[in-house]
Amino acid sequence: MDELARFLGGHPPFDALDEQELQGLAAAAVVSDFAAGDRILDAFLLPSQEMFVVLSGQVELWNSAPVPGEDADEILGSGGVFGFSALLRNEPIGPLAVALGPVRIARIPSEAVSPAFSSAAGLRFLAQNLPTTVARGSSPSAYGVVDQLIVSAPLVVEPDMTVAAVAASMTDHGSRYAVVSYGDRGYGVVTDALLRSAVLAKGLPPESVISVAAERPAPTVVTGTLAAQALLDLTERDLDCLLVVDRGGLLLGIVAREDFVVSPSTAGVSLREQIGRTAGIEDLVVLARRMPLLLGDLERRGRSAGEMTTVHSTVIDAVVRRALTLVLSRRPDLDPAELTWLSLGSNGRREPVPSSDIDAAVVFAETVDSMERAAAYRAAFGDIAAVLDRCGLAIDLHGAIPGRPLFARTGSQWRTAAQQWMKAPLEDNAMMMTSLLLDARPIQGDPGLPVVHEVFGDMHRHPGTLRLLLAELLTNRARLRSMRDVLARRGGTFDIKTHALRPVVDIARWAALSVGSTELSTSARLAAAAGSAMVPEDQAGILIEVFEVLQKARLHYQLAQMERAEKPSDVISMRRLSPLDRSLIAQAVREIAAVQRRMYNLSQLTPPDSW
């Protein structure tokens, strides 16, 4: 048993388990021998109730229903694992496994497997194997939002219960998590790991009240959040679980790492992990060029536009971070700790499509106090832009890039500029700069709220500026044809970004400002402002739906362009759209225009402090 435990601990997904967990797996396992040609597993007939680990020999695997005479999809050797997808889904989705020669297998029952997939390493393992396993059986409409991942009601305990009593309840409930309810004061959470740390490592007496050991406040996610976004929170913050709450803060359920194995939200994790490990720029370029394939795969699975762009954004972030690391590693005179890289625009909002420019800015530490040193950094940023261009990302050298002094400043310089923009929003491109920086999201360096958000955080206290910003954004009206189109005789085309999507994005950004929200995505901003005077609940809902429809049509069109080896564009040829898509776009534009008219009329009739 010790030998088997050591073997398992040397292979994923078991390599993240501690000694006690490995011993438990080894004790539960059954070791079996198979002769050449023996059928070890056929999970296309019945779901597997065990996970299989190859101890010696080789196994042929068919991940899709085999056709007579068809070669195996892959061959697993020592340490190979199979059967987990059918086990976790409890559905007959494969694979078929046949011994290629004499094989020794460890069969681990389902009840012993769970810990192996509850760690970050386990999640990465599943993500890397997803394309040939779980993805084949995923329902196109399932598991897109976090609500759909809730398996059962969580164990809820009172804060005055003892550590021992909560541990016993978790055992009886078969749960590795317990939610501590503080009534109107929110929730805490207790995990197996927290209990072990508190009692064993820190010596907390078992008769102590559980509130001493609980994490408070518990990490939460609001109902309706995309599974992809929730997975980002888990992985980037290294969390074990998230509480799912409604908009009023009421507990609905709990989701843990292993609950995401059935969600296509894990699709980008494997590529992100590979990008993060690239040794050089050439390797980075090769992997980054796979991004359109990932987007196309998500579309074929029927995923929502919000899911597709969120996953796409996480991979772009990984590419940018790796390019930054690789370029600065060649510049020993520059210190990465002196800068924070901000993703701007659509990628800052996690809404990029293939045609999107990768806008960015940098916040320097105050130690970058000379023009010469700032210029040295900007030269390196120019090299980074060249790498990103080779990676297939759209870079506008005359746009928002840190290689330009306008987009690379110290924190105090950004603060001074933002204060000036708020005082005079219609001067010196203040509106453009404000819009870009309000979409800013740090992806390297200080993860805190960008300085521009600090300055504009109380915008609702400046009604005059709020009115000017609203008047400016309403000048860009949603329309099917502009006068420029008419003069250029482009009657058969439609700029979906300029004349449809940008008005929604602008409304959402302004609405979030007006209610003091720091949300970034367009849908989240509209949801945060829903119910305000300017954005009633019903109209916020309409705009959220319209944004999804337009983004979906935009992605579909651009992916089709890339398949034809064309450069992706926001100018759509209406002839290439289906009659249904043309109708949906036309209706979406009418809905946006109606919202804009109402906002304009209300702005003329009511004072800003009532908005």
Side-chain angles (χ1 to χ4, degrees):
M1 194 168 77
D2 289 341
E3 184 179 349
L4 179 56
R6 282 194 298 273
F7 179 90
L8 293 174
H11 298 88
F14 313 106
D15 49 1
L17 302 182
D18 60 31
E19 184 62 31
Q20 184 179 352
E21 290 171 324
L22 288 170
Q23 289 289 341
L25 277 180
V30 175
V31 176
S32 303
D33 291 308
F34 296 86
D38 282 355
R39 181 171 291 196
I40 302 169
L41 170 70
D42 188 350
F44 291 108
L45 296 177
L46 290 171
S48 173
Q49 298 304 311
E50 300 173 307
M51 189 164 77
F52 299 76
V53 184
V54 182
L55 301 180
S56 63
Q58 292 184 314
V59 174
E60 292 181 296
L61 277 193
W62 285 263
N63 293 309
S64 54
V67 175
E70 185 181 64
D71 290 338
D73 293 317
E74 57 183 319
I75 296 174
L76 297 183
S78 179
V81 179
F82 59 95
F84 52 86
S85 54
L87 182 153
L88 292 166
R89 289 288 306 277
N90 195 30
E91 293 179 11
I93 59 173
L96 169 66
V98 176
L100 187 57
V103 177
R104 174 162 287 186
I105 297 286
R107 294 156 39 211
I108 306 173
S110 59
E111 59 270 14
V113 166
S114 181
F117 295 117
S118 301
S119 65
L123 185 62
R124 284 194 294 271
F125 175 86
L126 286 167
Q128 289 161 0
N129 288 274
L130 186 68
T132 55
T133 56
V134 176
R136 291 180 182 269
S138 294
S139 164
S141 60
Y143 311 116
V145 295
V146 71
D147 316 48
Q148 296 170 326
L149 301 178
I150 298 173
V151 176
S152 59
L155 171 63
V156 180
V157 300
E158 297 299 320
D160 57 357
M161 287 180 66
T162 66
V163 169
V166 171
S169 295
M170 289 168 67
T171 301
D172 294 341
H173 198 265
S175 174
R176 292 180 295 107
Y177 312 97
V179 178
V180 183
S181 175
Y182 294 92
D184 294 338
R185 293 174 294 147
Y187 301 99
V189 67
V190 177
T191 68
D192 278 343
L194 278 174
L195 285 181
R196 284 198 300 270
S197 172
V199 177
L200 299 178
K202 299 177 182 176
L204 186 70
E207 60 272 14
S208 303
V209 293
I210 193 63
S211 57
V212 178
E215 179 184 355
R216 184 183 180 197
T220 60
V221 62
V222 177
T223 177
T225 299
L226 292 174
Q229 184 61 54
L231 179 61
L232 274 179
D233 289 344
L234 276 173
T235 54
E236 293 186 354
R237 295 165 61 189
D238 195 25
L239 301 173
D240 291 317
C241 61
L242 287 167
L243 305 193
V244 182
V245 298
D246 67 13
R247 299 202 177 276
L250 183 66
L251 180 68
L252 300 178
I254 190 168
V255 290
R257 292 177 185 272
E258 62 268 26
D259 296 322
F260 287 84
V261 300
V262 294
S263 172
S265 59
T266 55
V269 176
S270 175
L271 187 54
R272 283 170 54 202
E273 291 287 330
Q274 294 175 58
I275 287 168
R277 293 194 297 267
T278 50
I281 289 172
E282 295 303 323
D283 293 337
L284 176 61
V285 170
V286 170
L287 287 176
R289 290 280 179 175
R290 296 181 186 174
M291 285 190 285
L293 299 176
L294 174 63
L295 270 179
D297 185 52
L298 289 169
E299 187 191 37
R300 283 189 293 274
R301 295 188 212 172
R303 306 322 301 178
S304 70
E307 286 178 274
M308 292 171 66
T309 57
T310 298
V311 171
H312 189 39
S313 172
T314 67
V315 181
I316 290 174
D317 288 353
V319 172
V320 173
R321 276 194 290 263
R322 196 60 187 156
L324 184 62
T325 299
L326 291 172
V327 170
L328 292 186
S329 68
R330 301 177 177 181
R331 296 290 304 269
D333 57 317
L334 303 179
D335 182 2
E338 285 191 312
L339 63 93
T340 295
W341 188 282
L342 303 177
S343 182
L344 308 180
S346 59
N347 195 49
R349 300 189 304 272
R350 293 204 183 280
E351 296 164 355
V353 297
S355 67
S356 299
D357 287 338
I358 305 304
D359 297 326
V362 158
V363 181
F364 287 129
E366 299 301 326
T367 52
V368 183
D369 54 2
S370 69
M371 294 179 61
E372 292 77 12
R373 187 153 180 79
Y377 273 109
R378 287 197 296 272
F381 300 155
D383 294 340
I384 292 168
V387 172
L388 298 180
D389 182 63
R390 289 183 60 198
C391 288
L393 298 176
I395 305 295
D396 181 0
L397 296 179
H398 301 289
I401 57 171
R404 299 178 62 199
L406 195 62
F407 294 96
R409 319 183 195 200
T410 64
S412 59
Q413 290 169 339
W414 278 118
R415 183 174 286 102
T416 300
Q419 290 167 344
Q420 182 58 36
W421 299 335
M422 189 160 67
K423 290 177 184 175
L426 302 184
E427 298 178 7
D428 299 324
N429 289 321
M431 275 283 290
M432 179 200 73
M433 294 296 293
T434 300
S435 297
L436 280 169
L437 271 297
L438 285 173
D439 292 345
R441 179 172 53 81
I443 64 171
Q444 183 91 334
D446 182 0
L449 204 62
V451 65
V452 176
H453 284 267
E454 296 174 16
V455 174
F456 281 85
D458 63 346
M459 175 59 76
H460 55 289
R461 300 179 188 273
H462 300 270
T465 303
L466 206 59
R467 182 190 287 277
L468 286 173
L469 292 174
L470 177 62
E472 181 68 17
L473 77 87
L474 290 177
T475 60
N476 181 28
R477 293 299 181 96
R479 65 193 78 183
L480 283 174
R481 294 182 70 192
S482 68
M483 184 56 67
R484 181 181 297 177
D485 293 332
V486 173
L487 294 175
R489 297 182 180 178
R490 291 192 306 190
T493 62
F494 174 62
D495 189 330
I496 194 169
K497 176 183 175 181
T498 301
H499 299 318
L501 283 161
R502 184 176 291 164
V504 181
V505 170
D506 289 345
I507 289 171
R509 187 188 297 111
W510 180 91
L513 267 183
S514 72
V515 298
S517 170
T518 58
E519 294 284 1
L520 283 175
S521 77
T522 298
S523 295
R525 283 170 165 172
L526 290 168
S532 61
M534 274 293 182
V535 188
E537 292 259 4
D538 59 336
Q539 298 207 352
I542 288 170
L543 289 179
I544 290 171
E545 292 177 8
V546 158
F547 186 72
E548 169 68 22
V549 166
L550 291 171
Q551 280 282 74
K552 191 77 171 176
R554 184 188 190 193
L555 281 162
H556 180 75
Y557 189 86
Q558 292 190 6
L559 288 170
Q561 284 182 306
M562 296 178 79
E563 286 184 3
R564 297 190 297 266
E566 298 174 8
K567 183 179 179 180
S569 169
D570 285 316
V571 178
I572 290 176
S573 171
M574 301 299 275
R575 290 183 293 103
R576 285 181 169 175
L577 296 179
S578 68
L580 176 60
D581 280 345
R582 287 198 295 271
S583 175
L584 286 172
I585 288 174
Q587 182 60 31
V589 170
R590 286 192 288 269
E591 297 282 8
I592 300 165
V595 172
Q596 287 180 310
R597 283 195 300 272
R598 180 188 176 279
M599 293 180 76
Y600 174 79
N601 292 336
L602 198 60
S603 71
Q604 301 302 302
L605 298 173
T606 60
D609 56 8
S610 69
W611 299 345

